[in-house]
C-alpha cells in the first residue's frame, strides 16, 4: 500500500493540507472517479431522492444448509433432516428452523425462494460470482457486482459513496478465483468503498474518508514514482489524466471526500448500547447496524459479508471437521448471529419507514448435501438452496418454489442466480435491456438475454 506525499504542503481553511487530500488519490475516490462524479453532478444525476430503492445484500459466506435453516424436511430420515426442528412463523404455513426465533416473528415482512440452483463447479468462488454479478467468471471476463453497476448507472446519492462493502472483502475460500465483489470490467473507479475494519472491535474508529491505501488501485510499485507523479501533477496539473483537478473541481472533490455526513454514517457510537446489543456484539451484527445507517445517509448499495473465509473460522460451511465448522455451530453461534442482525435490521427499517425503499437480500453461494456426511456435517450442494428477500417492493409472507422431499433439487419453479440478480435490478428500476460499456467497447447487458426477475415476489 502506498501514500501520496508531496513535499510542499498547501493548507485549506480548515487546516487540512493539500497533500492530505492527495493521500486519497485522484482516481477511484470512494468508489467513484472524480470525473464521473462531477459529470453526473452536472447532469443532475446526483440527488437525494429518498423514494429511490436501495439494497442491502447480506452475503452468508460458507453456504447455509437449506435443511437446517429455511427449507426443513421434518418427515425425512434422520440422516437427512438433521438435528434441528422447525418452528411456526407469524405467517400460517411457513415454518423455518428453530435457530431463528426472532426471524419467525416477522415472516410477514420477508419472503423465501427455496429453489435456487446452478450447474457450475461446487466451489465457493463460483457461487460468490453468480450471486453478486449474475454471471460466471469465464474467458477472463470479470463481471461487475450489482452495487458497482448501480453506482455506474446512477452515481452517488449526495456526498456519500454509491456502494459500500462491510466489513472486509471475501478472502480465500479455496478456489483462487474472483469473488464477484468488485467492479470488474467497469474499472476501479466503480469499486465499492471497503471499510476494512471490524466495527465490533472495542477500538474501532470511524474510517478515514481520505484513505491512503485506496490509491493502491493504481498499482504503482514504488513510492518514488508516486512522488514524481504528484510533483509533476502540481506543476502541470492539467496534463496528468489521473490528477486533472482544476481549481473549482478540486474544491468540489475535497468537499466530497471530507463529508461530515459520510463520516457520521460510520460512527456507531451514536447508537445506544441497547441498540447495538440487539443487533449483536459481533462483526456481522454491527455491520448490519452500520448498513442501516449508511442507507439512511444516502448510500445506494451496501454489501455485508458475514465471514471473510471458510478456513479456521466458524461459518456456515459445516463439513463437520477441521478446518471447517461443525453443524452444532448453527444453534450456538452462526444462527443466533444471523437471527439478531437480520431481524433487527428488518425491525428498524420497518419502524422508520425505510423498509419500503430498501431491498434486503440474504443468501449464501450454495446449499448443503441432503445427507449428513460421516463427519457429522454437510458438504457443498449447488443443486438447491434458498434466498431470503425483504423490502424494496418485495411482498412479505411468500414462498416461491418447492424442493423435493429431501431438499436436494427443485420440484417446482427452479431459479438461477441470474434471476435473483434480475430481481434486484427490477426492484431498483434498472431496465434489464440496459447495456454497460464492456471491454474494447463491446456493450454487455446487465443480465443475459432471456433472464427475467422473480415477479412472484412483487405481486
Amino acid at each position: 500500500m502506498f501514500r501520496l506525499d508531496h513535499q510542499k504542503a498547501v493548507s485549506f481553511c480548515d487546516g487540512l493540507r493539500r497533500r492530505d487530500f492527495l493521500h486519497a488519490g485522484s482516481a477511484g475516490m470512494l468508489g467513484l472517479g472524480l470525473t464521473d462524479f462531477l459529470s453526473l453532478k452536472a447532469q443532475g444525476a446526483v440527488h437525494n431522492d429518498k423514494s429511490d430503492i436501495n439494497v442491502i445484500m447480506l452475503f452468508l459466506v460458507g453456504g447455509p444448509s437449506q435443511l437446517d435453516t429455511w427449507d426443513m424436511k421434518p418427515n425425512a430420515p434422520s440422516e437427512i433432516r438433521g438435528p434441528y426442528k422447525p418452528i411456526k412463523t407469524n405467517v400460517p404455513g411457513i415454518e423455518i428452523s428453530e435457530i431463528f426465533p426472532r426471524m419467525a416473528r416477522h415472516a410477514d415482512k420477508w419472503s423465501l425462494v427455496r429453489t435456487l440452483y446452478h450447474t457450475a463447479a461446487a466451489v465457493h468462488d463460483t457461487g460468490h460470482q453468480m450471486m453478486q454479478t449474475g454471471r460466471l467468471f469465464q474467458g477472463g471476463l470479470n463481471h461487475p457486482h450489482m452495487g458497482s453497476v448501480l453506482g455506474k448507472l446512477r452515481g452517488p446519492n449526495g456526498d456519500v459513496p454509491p456502494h459500500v462493502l462491510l466489513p472486509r472483502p471475501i478472502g480465500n475460500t479455496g478456489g483462487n478465483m474472483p469473488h464477484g465483489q468488485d467492479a470488474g470490467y467497469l474499472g476501479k473507479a466503480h469499486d465499492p468503498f471497503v471499510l476494512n475494519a471490524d466495527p465490533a472491535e472495542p477500538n474501532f474508529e470511524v474510517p478515514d474518508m481520505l484513505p491512503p491505501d485506496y490509491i493502491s488501485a493504481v498499482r504503482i510499485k514504488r513510492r518514488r514514482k508516486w512522488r514524481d507523479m504528484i510533483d509533476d501533477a502540481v506543476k502541470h496539473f492539467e496534463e496528468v489524466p489521473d490528477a486533472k483537478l482544476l481549481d473549482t473541481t478540486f474544491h468540489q472533490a475535497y468537499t466530497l471526500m471530507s463529508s461530515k455526513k459520510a463520516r457520521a454514517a460510520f460512527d456507531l457510537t451514536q447508537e445506544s448500547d441497547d441498540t447495538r446489543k440487539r443487533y449483536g456484539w459481533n462483526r456481522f451484527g454491527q455491520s448490519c447496524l452500520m448498513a442501516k445507517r449508511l442507507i439512511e445517509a444516502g448510500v445506494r448499495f451496501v454489501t455485508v459479508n458475514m465471514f471473510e473465509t471458510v478456513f479456521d473460522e466458524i461459518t456456515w460451511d459445516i463439513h463437520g471437521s477441521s478446518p471447517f465448522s461443525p453443524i452444532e455451530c448453527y444453534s450456538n453461534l452462526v444462527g443466533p448471529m444471523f437471527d439478531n442482525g437480520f431481524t433487527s435490521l428488518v425491525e428498524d427499517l420497518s419502524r422508520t419507514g425505510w423498509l419500503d425503499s430498501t431491498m434486503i437480500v440474504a443468501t449464501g453461494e450454495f446449499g448443503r448435501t441432503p445427507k449428513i456426511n460421516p463427519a457429522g456435517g454437510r458438504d457443498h450442494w449447488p443443486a438447491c438452496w434458498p434466498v431470503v428477500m425483504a423490502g424494496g417492493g418485495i411482498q412479505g409472507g411468500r414462498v416461491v418454489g418447492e424442493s423435493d422431499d429431501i431438499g436436494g433439487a427443485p420440484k417446482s419453479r427452479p431459479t438461477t442466480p441470474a434471476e435473483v440478480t434480475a430481481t434486484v435490478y427490477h426492484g431498483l428500476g434498472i431496465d434489464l435491456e440496459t447495456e454497460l460499456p464492456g471491454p474494447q467497447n463491446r456493450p454487455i447487458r446487465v443480465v443475459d438475454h432471456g433472464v427475467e426477475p422473480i415477479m412472484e415476489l412483487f405481486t
Side-chain angles (χ1 to χ4, degrees), residues 78-104:
S78 60
E79 66 271 20
I80 301 294
R81 66 175 183 262
Y84 302 115
K85 297 178 181 178
I87 57 174
K88 297 183 183 299
T89 68
N90 69 340
V91 174
I94 299 180
E95 294 185 344
I96 60 176
S97 175
E98 62 184 334
I99 67 175
F100 304 131
R102 287 185 60 193
M103 186 181 181

Side-chain angles (χ1 to χ4, degrees), residues 10 124 187 198 213 216 221 330 405 434 443 445:
V10 179
H124 295 280
D198 183 350
D213 289 343
S216 65
K221 294 181 179 180
Y330 278 18
D405 292 342
T434 302
R445 276 173 48 118

Side-chain angles (χ1 to χ4, degrees), residues 64-197:
S65 161
Q66 67 278 20
L67 291 146
D68 302 294
T69 56
W70 300 291
D71 190 13
M72 308 191 77
K73 303 295 180 181
N75 298 322
S78 60
E79 66 271 20
I80 301 294
R81 66 175 183 262
Y84 302 115
K85 297 178 181 178
I87 57 174
K88 297 183 183 299
T89 68
N90 69 340
V91 174
I94 299 180
E95 294 185 344
I96 60 176
S97 175
E98 62 184 334
I99 67 175
F100 304 131
R102 287 185 60 193
M103 186 181 181
R105 298 196 289 270
H106 295 279
D108 59 319
K109 299 181 183 68
W110 50 260
S111 287
L112 290 170
V113 180
R114 283 178 165 159
T115 49
L116 264 67
Y117 80 99
H118 73 73
T119 57
V123 296
H124 295 280
D125 304 24
T126 56
H128 297 158
Q129 295 163 21
M130 287 188 281
M131 290 308 301
Q132 297 184 100
T133 73
R135 292 183 171 96
L136 189 63
F137 176 75
Q138 291 179 316
L141 188 59
N142 189 17
H143 292 278
H145 188 288
M146 289 181 284
S148 296
V149 172
L150 180 62
K152 169 70 175 178
L153 296 177
R154 299 277 173 83
N157 187 4
D159 52 3
V160 292
H163 180 200
V164 175
L165 187 154
L166 307 173
R168 294 186 177 94
I170 300 173
N172 177 30
T173 54
N176 197 31
M177 292 183 287
H179 298 280
Q181 57 189 345
D182 57 29
Y185 60 73
L186 291 181
K188 289 289 182 181
H190 299 287
D191 275 352
F193 179 87
V194 183
L195 179 64
N196 262 330

